[in-house]
Every structure is written in structure tokens, then in C-alpha cells.
Amino acid sequence: MPEGDTVWNTARVVERALTGEVLTGSDFRVPRLATTDLTGWTVAESASRGKHLLLRLTRDGEKPLTLHSHLRMDGAWRTYAPGERWSGRPAHLIRVVLRTARSVAVGYHLHDLTLVPTEQEEQLVGHLGPDLLGADWDPGEATRRIAAHPDVTIADALLDQRNLAGVGNLYKAETLFLRGLWPWTRVADVPDLTATVELAQRLVASNRGRWTQTTTGSLRRGETNYVYGRRAQPCRRCGTPVRKVERDPTRARAEVEDRITYWCPRCQPEPAA
């Protein structure tokens, strides 16, 4: 599942390949944009907002446009040189191809692919909370939004992009482990909500600019995380086997995978009744 740092890194890759370039062709493979042709438009900016990628386009005499895509769990953008083999994903997962004289950007399995006037961007991302990697980051506002729903579990609160934009399952699990919080603790019972929010932001920001995500400080394979992805392996602190649970097995498969939780039952004990 892409986290905020992954989307930020993706935006930088697309930025290096396309920004300042005039599109020489476009190929949309989604029904609502199938006839759209962006030839002649210039890529002005590649930006991220939480898990959303915003590609801003300009052309003389036209209102600026934004190509919006949501990566969700399995979306990705890859860039190639003209003539280079596209090796990112199977061809049937391609949703859009953008060409310039010096590069090709291919969007695989993108969700909510939408083209809107840039002035209407807020209709797509305006509901999001402060972006952990954005200029608008405000821990106080993120804390306020989370605290407004005291009966929600802290795990769900961190994943709710309306509270703060950019936390996925990895940073949720690692933040809660480092704070010693049982994932299903009510927001109202979290001892220091601001500290939890600030830690989540520091963890995400610490991996900005690289693809290997670590919360332990080690980049060595198998040593990057405390609990995430380590079901039944010994806790790095106490040796208790790490547990994994799916939030609600009655949900659709994609939603179940979107709520997988890892935790150490000893380091993150359930609060006493």
C-alpha cells in the first residue's frame, strides 16, 4: 500500500521526466478519458497531496488543467526513455501514457484518474487533512481533527486521510508500536495525541527521497521495521511474537487489506477495562 513518502517520491520521478516538457502525445485507457488528447500541453508541475498525485498542465490561451490520480494500494507511475521497453507492470494495467520528446510516463492501475481545471483541484483533495510532507503540515490541526472523534480507534484515526494525509498501514503500525499503543485504543484514551501525530510525521519524512522505508534506522533487508510485515517473528524489544490481524473479515478483500494491523501484544498491551 503506497504511503505518503512513496507518492512524494513518485511525484519527483515524474517531475524529473516531464516538468517543463511539451506533451507530444497521450493515450488514456479509461472510458471517461478515452478521447482526451493532451498533445501540445506543457507539464508545469508534478505534486503530491497525501496519496494523491497531481500533474498540472498549461497551454497558451487555455485554462490550466490538472491530471489527478490516486495510487491507493497498487497504483504506480513509471518513466522510460523513448523506445525503452515498458517493464513496470503488465500491459493490461496501463491506464495512461504521456509522451514527450525525451521521456515517456506510464501510469499503471491508477484509481480515480481524473482531468479537471486546476482551479477545481480542491474538489478532489480539499477534504484531506494536513499533508505530512506538504507546506501545509500542521500537527495542531491534525490533532484537532483526530480528537474530534474520540470514540474512533487510534489505528483508524491515523489512516483517515481527512485527519492527516499520508499515513498508510506501515507507518500506522510502526507509530503505534513506538508509542506503546494498542491499535484499538480509543482516541479519547490516547495519553499524548499530539506526540503520536508528530511521530507519524517524522517517520514518514525520514524516508522522503528514498524508496527503502525504514523506521528502525537500518536499511538492511529484514531489519527495516519493528512490527510491520513481521507476523510471528520476535518483537525487537521483548521477543514476544508479533501479531497480525485484519480489522473486519466481513469487508471486501481490498478493504480488508487496507486495514491489516501488526502489533506486539506485550509492548502494546490492551488497556485495562
Side-chain angles (χ1 to χ4, degrees):
M1 177 181 183
E3 312 264 344
D5 58 327
T6 304
V7 182
W8 189 93
N9 291 340
T10 298
R12 301 290 76 74
V13 169
V14 176
E15 179 180 63
R16 289 191 293 270
L18 298 183
T19 298
E21 297 292 313
V22 177
L23 295 178
T24 58
S26 64
D27 177 10
F28 287 91
R29 304 182 186 182
V30 293
R32 65 179 173 275
L33 296 175
T35 61
T36 300
D37 183 6
L38 294 178
T39 301
W41 286 80
T42 298
V43 179
E45 186 178 8
S46 174
S48 62
R49 180 75 188 274
K51 300 179 184 181
H52 300 253
L53 194 142
L54 304 167
L55 199 60
R56 296 175 180 134
L57 310 167
T58 60
R59 188 166 72 174
D60 289 345
E62 304 277 0
K63 288 186 176 181
L65 296 177
T66 295
L67 180 61
H68 162 265
S69 58
H70 195 306
L71 302 190
R72 290 195 189 175
M73 293 178 61
D74 44 11
W77 281 88
R78 299 286 187 269
T79 60
Y80 307 95
E84 183 181 356
R85 181 174 176 270
W86 302 349
S87 56
R89 301 279 180 87
H92 73 273
L93 294 179
I94 294 174
R95 299 294 180 263
V96 61
V97 180
L98 302 176
R99 301 177 184 274
T100 72
R102 67 178 180 89
S103 60
V104 181
V106 183
Y108 294 92
H109 215 184
L110 303 175
H111 301 265
D112 305 327
L113 190 62
T114 309
L115 186 67
V116 300
T118 299
E119 63 186 17
Q120 295 178 17
E121 264 185 24
E122 285 300 294
Q123 295 181 16
L124 301 174
V125 297
H127 66 286
L128 298 174
D131 184 345
L132 280 81
L133 299 181
D136 70 319
W137 171 244
D138 182 345
E141 174 62 15
T143 300
R144 185 194 68 77
R145 292 185 180 215
I146 291 174
H149 303 281
D151 292 328
V152 172
T153 69
I154 186 58
D156 279 354
L158 290 177
L159 286 180
D160 191 334
Q161 303 300 294
R162 296 169 297 183
N163 293 331
L164 65 173
V167 172
N169 280 326
L170 187 156
Y171 290 114
K172 172 199 72 178
E174 298 294 286
T175 297
L176 296 181
F177 172 80
L178 290 169
R179 292 293 300 165
L181 291 169
W182 188 56
W184 297 275
T185 301
R186 294 169 62 247
V187 163
D189 298 328
V190 174
D192 190 339
L193 193 54
T194 299
T196 300
V197 166
E198 291 178 339
L199 175 59
Q201 192 276 335
R202 290 198 301 273
L203 291 178
V204 175
S206 70
N207 289 308
R208 179 172 47 193
R210 66 182 175 206
W211 295 105
T212 300
Q213 296 164 308
T214 179
T215 54
T216 63
S218 174
L219 296 176
R220 300 174 67 176
R221 186 172 183 179
E223 298 180 2
T224 56
N225 301 323
Y226 288 101
V227 290
Y228 184 80
R230 301 190 64 244
R231 182 180 67 85
Q233 297 181 49
C235 171
R236 298 191 190 281
R237 282 182 175 169
C238 71
T240 301
V242 171
R243 297 186 64 183
K244 168 188 173 183
V245 70
E246 294 174 350
R247 180 173 181 265
D248 185 350
T250 66
R251 290 187 173 202
R253 178 176 176 80
E255 293 177 312
V256 167
E257 293 177 345
D258 196 36
R259 290 296 186 268
I260 288 175
T261 296
Y262 295 87
W263 84 103
C264 170
R266 182 173 181 182
C267 295
Q268 300 167 259
E270 181 177 358

